Amino acid sequence: MAADPIHQFQIKNITTLGEIGGVEIAFTNSAAFMLAAVVFTAGGLVLATAGRAMVPGRVQSVAEIIYEFVADMVRQSAGEAGMRFFPLVFTLFSFILVLNMFGMIPGLFTVTSHIVVTAVLALVVFFTVIIYGFYKNGLKFFRLFVPSGIPIYILPLIVFIEVLSFLSRPISHSVRLFANMLAGHITLKVFAGFIVMLSGFGIAGWVGALLPLALTVALTALEFLVAFLQAYVFAILTCIYLNDALHPGH
Amino acid sequence: MAADRPPEDRRARDADDDAALQARLRQLGQQLDAIAPKPKPGDSDASSGQPPGPSNLARALRLSSEFVAGILLGGFIGWLVDQFTGWSPWGLIVFLLLGFVAGTLNALRSAGLVARPGQD
Amino acid sequence: MAETKTGTEAPGGHKEPFPPFNPETFASQLVWLAIAFVALYVLLSRVALPRIAAIFAARSGKVASDLAAAERLKTESEAALEAYEKALADARGKAQGIANTTRAEFAAAADEKKKQLEASLAAKLAEAERQIEATKKAAMANVRDIASDAATEIVKRLTGTAPAKQAIDRAVDAALH
């Protein structure tokens, strides 16, 4: 198991629930961790703020700090009008952050290392932007694709490239998160595998295993940072994209 | 607040304490002015789309994936075009190039070097 | 990433596809992701976030009201200080007034006494003058009598006859005046 860095991404059925249109629907380890993240996030926030203390205790201030962090992010990237999407951004941020952090605990499954999950989350943002953009701005939303001050003869090409750029957003949005989590965990697993392998060779191996051990420790620290940063990047990009829906060219 | 003693108490004081009291009042006034309504930060329109401060690292992380996503999308569209029109390999070539351009644009944009569209 | 993607698109090569690209698991993941995400969204947007927002609102309200109270107490104490200073100034003015009136009273009393003293002195002086006058008059009368007597005597000696009383008196009066 230690030798196979891919094994950790395996989805295992816990119970099979049935079929929808010939496709098997099962309660899997991935689903279990998603639900755990929901319980952990919502439960944690609700319990932390149960006291509604005027002067917050330690847990309550953590909840307040996260709230303020996300609120500031939304305000700075999407303006005060963006606060209507604050629950969405907060949900995305906390969900991804908690799932990433679960993944950092050895032996646990990383839900965000699966492209379907990140793709759905990115598409939720993508369609929110499109639907709200048209709902709020009508056809003016198309101005997002028409930069001002462009000569008419290359405008079609520019507009096409802008559209392409817009369409590539959910891809970069989802692939970034997925690839970072996947690659990080594979790298960690490979280096950890080296330690196990080398330390099997006796004293000399133990000495040799020190280097990958140090690297694994450093990588683990880096991965914690990445786990946070990816959640942050996902949220901040959500805000930036939502800003386009709110103000597509003034 | 220590300043709200009954006035009879104060009446007994001499001029020195009077001056001290006034000084304290003035200090209290300054403190109150200092805490009093701070303007809420970050009420700007954020039209630049560039989050400030600690997100520089986050921005750096975005660069490569923006670029890759543009190429991936261009390649995918080119492949689709080839599939449906039989122009292979021209669809792939053209759209890969366009994807490359879009990816570069995205990357430059996330680096803050090019303005976002429509925001003059 | 690109190769792995194409790798799954051409299946059947190795025993198990790369797990993140295994389409068999997609449906289950999507279903549970939808359930989990919607549940989290509802829980957060309905319960957790409003509660935190309420805490913030309550706190900023409390801070604002505390500040207002502090401001109010400050103005009150300033007013009290002002009143105290005014009272002090009033008291000082009153003391000044009392001192002034007392001084005036004393001065008036002293004046009165002086006047009485002067009056009594004047009366005494007048009395003395009057007495002097009386004495003088008496003395004058005596002088007249003496003079007329003397004149009568002188005339008697010189002439041998006593002059008329009236003539003597006339002569004496003429001499005296």
Side-chain angles (χ1 to χ4, degrees), chain B residues 3 41 47 50 108:
Chain B
S47 50
Q50 301 305 331
L108 288 177

Side-chain angles (χ1 to χ4, degrees), chain C residues 153-164:
Chain C
E153 204 57 39
I154 289 164
V155 169
K156 207 191 269 173
R157 286 265 178 92
L158 287 175
T159 61
T161 55

Side-chain angles (χ1 to χ4, degrees), chain C residues 117-133:
Chain C
L117 210 60
E118 275 171 357
S120 78
L121 276 178
K124 273 181 184 150
L125 206 62
E127 175 72 13
E129 273 170 356
R130 201 177 44 75
Q131 237 157 23
I132 288 168
E133 189 70 26

Side-chain angles (χ1 to χ4, degrees), chain A:
Chain A
M1 175 192 162
D4 182 8
I6 304 301
H7 183 81
Q8 58 177 322
F9 305 113
Q10 202 70 51
I11 290 198
K12 302 181 199 81
N13 287 6
I14 295 173
T15 47
T16 302
L17 298 176
E19 289 190 354
I20 296 177
V23 184
E24 182 189 49
I25 303 297
F27 187 74
T28 62
N29 51 349
S30 168
F33 278 104
M34 288 180 203
L35 294 186
V38 172
V39 171
F40 179 85
T41 310
L45 284 176
V46 167
L47 286 182
T49 56
R52 291 183 171 84
M54 210 40 103
V55 177
R58 203 169 298 162
V59 258
Q60 192 183 321
S61 25
V62 169
E64 287 176 9
I65 286 169
I66 298 173
Y67 183 98
E68 278 291 273
F69 178 73
V70 179
D72 281 348
M73 187 194 320
V74 175
R75 275 196 211 101
Q76 279 170 6
S77 299
E80 205 55 51
M83 284 307 278
R84 83 169 48 226
F85 293 110
F86 174 69
L88 176 66
V89 177
F90 193 95
T91 307
L92 283 168
F93 176 73
S94 56
F95 191 54
I96 294 171
L97 181 66
V98 169
L99 287 176
N100 287 356
M101 287 303 173
F102 277 171
M104 288 310 298
I105 301 169
L108 296 194
F109 181 77
T110 316
V111 178
T112 44
S113 67
H114 278 255
I115 184 79
V116 240
V117 174
T118 63
V120 166
L121 296 178
L123 287 174
V124 166
V125 175
F126 185 70
F127 284 113
T128 306
V129 168
I130 292 181
I131 292 168
Y132 186 76
F134 279 117
Y135 163 73
K136 171 124 188 294
N137 306 290
L139 292 180
K140 275 193 205 148
F141 186 61
F142 281 118
R143 285 177 57 187
L144 188 62
F145 306 117
V146 188
S148 53
I150 300 288
I152 192 75
Y153 50 90
I154 58 163
L155 197 61
L157 184 67
I158 297 294
V159 168
F160 187 77
I161 287 174
E162 288 288 356
V163 171
L164 215 54
S165 147
F166 184 79
L167 292 179
S168 75
R169 280 174 175 183
I171 299 178
S172 62
H173 209 179
S174 58
V175 167
R176 181 185 308 112
L177 174 59
F178 150 74
N180 270 284
M181 300 322 291
L182 185 78
H185 281 83
I186 290 179
T187 320
L188 271 182
K189 197 80 178 180
V190 167
F191 276 93
F194 280 155
I195 305 174
V196 177
M197 200 176 72
L198 285 170
S199 56
F201 295 148
I203 305 292
W206 283 21
V207 176
L210 281 178
L211 181 65
L213 178 65
L215 272 174
T216 308
V217 172
L219 275 175
T220 307
L222 180 71
E223 276 305 301
F224 270 109
L225 181 67
V226 167
F228 167 77
L229 269 177
Q230 287 304 325
Y232 175 67
V233 167
F234 199 97
I236 198 124
L237 280 175
T238 302
C239 297
I240 290 174
Y241 296 162
L242 286 170
N243 186 43
D244 281 343
L246 293 160
H247 326 100
H250 300 279

